[in-house]
Amino acid sequence: MDDRYLRALIRPDRVHRDFYTSPELFELEMERIFGRAWLFVGHDSQVPNPGDFVSVTVARQPLLVTRHADGSVHVLMNRCAHRGAQVCTEPYGNATQLRCPYHGWTYGLDGARLGVPYRKRYADEFLATEAIRLEPIPRMAMHRGFIFGSFTAAGPSLDACFGPMKGHLDDMVDRAPDGEIEIGRPFRYRFNANWKIQLENQNDMYHPMFTHESTTDERGTQFRRQGAEEDQAGKVQLLGAKAGLNPAWEQLQLGGYPFGHTFSGAFPTDRGAEGPVQARYKALLEQRYSAERVTDLLALGRHNSIFYPHFTLQYLTTHIRVMNPIAVDCTEDVIYPIRLRGAPEEMWHATIRSNNNSHSPSGLVMTDDMEVWSRCQSGLKAKTGEWVHFARGMGEEVRIADDTYRATGTTEVCAREQQRAWLRYMLEPDLGTVIA
Amino acid sequence: MTIGTGRSAGLELHFEVEQFLFAEGRLLDERRFEEWEALFAADGYYWVPAAHDQESPYSGLSLFYDDREMMRTRVRRLGHTNIHVQKPPTRTCHAYTNVSVEPVREGTDEYLVESRLIVLEYRHDEPQHLYGGRCRHHLRRIDGGFEIAWKRVDLLNCDGIFTALAVPF
């Protein structure tokens, strides 16, 4: 797996099938991409009180997110310093200390050593010099309650890595009249496809009218996904007149930033979110922000923000989608609904229903996505046909800087740019040199 | 205190309710989804929580939480010629067991039915899945049988790691 091999996998308009099917390449990705990138770990709303903890698996590693007695949030490896046992297996809970079930070694919620039972058989030097604690994740950063972690001690800071995408987190949190969000307990499901197949689908505007055909009526209008108002507001319009492509799809805004992040504008819907609930919501926002800011917030037309390689912020269904690789041909999604604190209760109910309907394991939208992704994985077992094509909309994007661009509609530029970012992660021994 | 005598419902009602459940399961297994949906009252709903002992459909996410409108949308999609996740279709086997029936209130024609539901699912070349857990139906007597005010299925693995689901439990 030398540099020449890696470079040969990525061409300007296509990638080699090994990109999705090679187990050796997958392990190298786990080291060079998931081992170094900034990953989503959780949100501080999951651990509101001292002693709270949640156990999560991130990129196959067991972590604990905790709230220490002094109010600080910690991200710890969920692994006893002694023989490596996973200390906590409950998904969430509250404790004054964390005790390993095997030999009773005990730690604080900050990972500090509290007790090694019957310590006389250990040499004093061992107890004095060994780092007996729950190791903190090498790097951790927080923004507006979002908790991010990196498994490497060196590399670009969160700010340098996310760049303008950091503002996308604010775009979500600022929608809360109280200026804070909380996340609810998630869905979890797996499908048989490589992690990049989903990533390359997230800003693919070419697929909805075909993959999601079963969600539409004769006029190409999708079912109502969410509605805080009593009547049927905001159905996504996939098709135009005479079942052709709705021309609004080709105007849909797309863009991307260094490190492979991409984002897309709002889907064309048959009407906006007007109504009495929206009016109350607007009034609540105006208690916090100026009228101009409220106008900007409500006018923000965004569908999703993809933080390469690990998670998506989705504004239509109001959730965080975490995409954990499991194996070369298996990915696990964890979908957290987002509650905007201070917003009308009808909006939270609409978020719950919208997530239930489109992004649950039985979701009317997500299940057809998982089906086509799995078919890509099984189809790619065919060895003849080495190349996977991403030629749509070649060169039509507007370059603002080397890794910053804007585009519209059913182009495949977002996937191409993610592939370029992939190559940089895989080739750069020191991620500090990735930024141009 | 004596429990489990089944005396509150009586043999005949118990038999009728059981036959109704078996028929409901058969409709799903035969993929007669429109007829299944028609069993529900106009204000009826179908609920499969995503959390153990979930208090309400709005206390968090659910694997299914369908009112009649959502049920209709789901059923329409299941009948669509191009529903990719059902090509080939899932085959199911619904087995109701451990049924007990209680009147909701003395003297009414409404019943709370407690049962255990086991569902086997198979889709071509995929591993066969077994799902199951506690099932509750709130039934109202109508001409010719019952309508479902609500059906709630509490799967053992409700907060586990799933694969794609298509057919209601």
Side-chain angles (χ1 to χ4, degrees):
Chain A
M1 297 256 143
D2 62 13
D3 281 6
R4 214 172 52 166
Y5 168 77
L6 295 172
R7 281 183 205 284
L9 296 176
I10 313 292
R11 289 193 185 168
D13 65 345
R14 65 196 71 192
V15 297
H16 192 271
R17 61 178 287 280
D18 278 10
F19 190 62
Y20 305 103
T21 60
S22 163
E24 295 81 15
L25 188 65
F26 175 80
E27 290 303 328
L28 203 57
E29 288 172 333
M30 295 307 288
E31 187 190 307
R32 293 192 185 169
I33 304 179
F34 288 87
R36 302 197 290 173
W38 282 98
L39 307 177
F40 176 88
V41 176
H43 191 271
D44 72 357
S45 59
Q46 294 176 286
V47 288
N49 302 307
D52 285 346
F53 64 85
V54 290
S55 313
V56 287
T57 303
V58 173
R60 304 188 305 185
Q61 299 198 41
L63 300 180
L64 278 173
V65 180
T66 69
R67 175 84 62 180
H68 188 43
D70 67 4
S72 56
V73 172
H74 296 262
V75 180
L76 307 169
M77 305 309 296
N78 190 354
R79 179 253 197 242
C80 184
H82 181 208
R83 302 269 273 277
Q86 188 171 328
V87 173
C88 245
T89 47
E90 295 154 71
Y92 50 87
N94 183 285
T96 49
Q97 56 194 33
L98 302 167
R99 189 164 181 266
C100 182
Y102 200 175
H103 306 89
W105 287 30
T106 310
Y107 308 91
L109 276 284
D110 57 351
R113 168 171 67 172
L114 292 182
V116 172
Y118 314 141
R119 60 179 52 206
K120 289 205 177 110
R121 301 292 297 271
Y122 281 108
D124 289 341
E125 208 198 326
F126 174 80
L127 292 176
T129 59
E130 282 299 323
I132 296 174
R133 61 179 180 181
L134 297 182
E135 286 296 325
I137 198 169
R139 285 188 299 167
M140 177 207 164
M142 289 180 66
H143 182 67
R144 306 296 295 274
F146 289 91
I147 305 167
F148 304 103
S150 172
F151 291 113
T152 186
S157 67
L158 184 86
D159 283 14
C161 180
F162 282 6
M165 295 297 286
K166 204 169 158 209
H168 289 214
L169 299 171
D170 294 312
D171 290 334
M172 176 60 81
V173 182
D174 285 347
R175 292 168 139 206
D178 288 0
E180 288 183 336
I181 62 165
E182 61 189 66
I183 68 175
R185 302 231 176 108
F187 292 127
R188 293 184 296 161
Y189 40 88
R190 293 187 182 183
F191 54 90
N192 294 330
N194 183 267
W195 62 278
K196 299 185 290 298
I197 294 177
Q198 174 175 217
L199 266 177
E200 288 162 357
N201 167 271
Q202 299 258 282
N203 283 156
D204 170 337
M205 301 306 158
Y206 187 20
H207 85 282
M209 45 297 288
F210 303 102
T211 303
H212 303 301
E213 187 188 334
S214 68
T215 62
T216 62
D217 62 19
E218 324 63 53
R219 291 180 313 272
T221 306
Q222 211 174 44
F223 65 92
R224 175 169 67 122
R225 287 210 221 178
Q226 64 180 41
E229 312 293 344
E230 273 181 36
D231 63 342
Q232 299 192 10
K235 294 196 228 179
V236 176
Q237 193 71 38
L238 287 181
L239 298 179
K242 297 183 182 158
L245 176 64
N246 179 0
W249 280 91
E250 288 294 12
Q251 265 84 64
L252 205 152
Q253 300 291 305
L254 298 166
Y257 292 114
F259 289 99
H261 310 304
T262 73
F263 61 90
S264 63
F267 284 2
T269 54
D270 60 350
R271 53 171 291 192
E274 306 88 32
V277 177
Q278 184 76 353
R280 275 165 42 215
Y281 174 51
K282 188 164 178 243
L284 287 162
L285 287 174
E286 279 163 355
Q287 287 173 22
R288 184 177 182 84
Y289 303 111
S290 68
E292 293 84 38
R293 177 81 180 115
V294 173
T295 305
D296 285 346
L297 272 173
L298 294 178
L300 176 74
R302 188 174 298 137
H303 177 65
N304 61 16
S305 306
I306 324 297
F307 292 77
Y308 189 89
H310 194 226
F311 71 97
T312 296
L313 204 53
Q314 219 250 42
Y315 303 78
L316 178 61
T317 327
T318 319
H319 68 233
I320 298 165
R321 179 192 311 195
V322 181
M323 302 172 279
N324 279 318
I326 303 297
V328 67
D329 58 358
C330 184
T331 304
E332 178 179 291
D333 277 9
V334 185
I335 312 275
Y336 296 93
I338 295 172
R339 180 178 197 156
L340 306 174
R341 284 193 173 147
E345 197 71 354
E346 291 93 328
M347 289 175 62
W348 173 231
H349 290 183
T351 294
I352 288 177
R353 297 192 68 152
S354 189
N355 277 283
N356 290 345
N357 298 340
S358 61
H359 286 83
S360 85
S362 76
L364 274 55
V365 176
M366 195 66 200
T367 49
D368 281 325
D369 282 318
M370 291 198 276
E371 175 69 13
V372 301
W373 302 338
S374 305
R375 290 202 200 178
C376 284
Q377 196 71 32
S378 57
L380 285 168
K381 289 191 165 72
K383 295 196 175 179
T384 331
E386 288 185 278
W387 297 98
V388 181
H389 291 289
F390 289 91
R392 192 174 178 86
M394 282 295 286
E396 293 170 12
E397 62 275 6
V398 172
R399 288 278 148 194
I400 295 164
D402 184 35
D403 292 328
T404 304
Y405 60 94
R406 295 288 179 271
T408 55
T410 64
T411 172
E412 286 169 331
V413 67
C414 294
R416 292 193 291 270
E417 291 295 312
Q418 286 172 342
Q419 289 151 11
R420 291 180 66 212
W422 179 92
L423 198 54
R424 287 202 164 115
Y425 264 107
M426 296 297 276
L427 293 178
E428 297 287 351
D430 161 17
L431 263 180
T433 62
V434 175
I435 309 166
Chain B
M1 173 181 130
T2 51
I3 58 167
T5 61
R7 293 233 175 93
S8 53
L11 270 176
E12 200 175 312
L13 175 62
H14 184 97
F15 177 78
E16 269 191 274
V17 167
E18 259 198 334
Q19 293 301 310
F20 178 81
L21 293 189
F22 299 162
E24 188 230 329
R26 206 156 56 234
L27 287 177
L28 288 171
D29 292 341
E30 292 173 9
R31 298 182 71 89
R32 290 156 64 185
F33 298 121
E34 278 152 0
E35 291 171 71
W36 175 78
E37 193 226 317
L39 296 177
F40 285 80
D43 62 345
Y45 64 88
Y46 168 66
W47 184 26
V48 184
H52 188 63
D53 282 345
Q54 189 168 327
E55 277 177 24
S56 91
Y58 292 111
S59 52
L61 299 175
S62 295
L63 300 172
F64 293 79
Y65 174 57
D66 291 357
D67 60 11
R68 285 299 301 271
E69 184 205 330
M70 192 59 215
M71 229 181 275
R72 201 158 298 127
T73 303
R74 186 184 298 280
V75 164
R76 195 172 64 224
R77 174 168 174 262
L78 282 168
H80 197 284
T81 48
N82 274 327
I83 174 174
H84 308 303
V85 74
Q86 288 290 275
K87 288 182 165 194
T90 304
R91 293 181 200 148
T92 63
C93 178
H94 286 67
Y96 282 106
T97 185
N98 300 25
V99 179
S100 70
V101 184
E102 296 279 343
V104 169
R105 262 181 316 279
E106 201 60 45
T108 63
D109 273 347
E110 301 195 19
Y111 306 99
L112 187 62
V113 182
E114 179 89 38
S115 66
R116 294 297 177 263
L117 173 62
I118 309 238
V119 182
L120 215 47
E121 283 196 2
Y122 174 70
R123 194 172 166 237
H124 177 65
D125 277 358
E126 291 174 18
Q128 184 165 265
H129 293 293
L130 188 60
Y131 298 99
R134 179 184 186 193
C135 183
R136 280 170 277 184
H137 289 74
H138 179 137
L139 301 182
R140 295 185 194 124
R141 194 179 275 292
I142 57 170
D143 258 350
F146 300 102
E147 66 176 12
I148 304 175
W150 51 262
K151 174 181 174 185
R152 172 175 175 167
V153 183
D154 285 278
L155 297 176
L156 253 47
N157 67 336
C158 56
D159 54 1
I161 300 171
F162 281 83
T163 58
L165 301 173
V167 179
F169 294 110

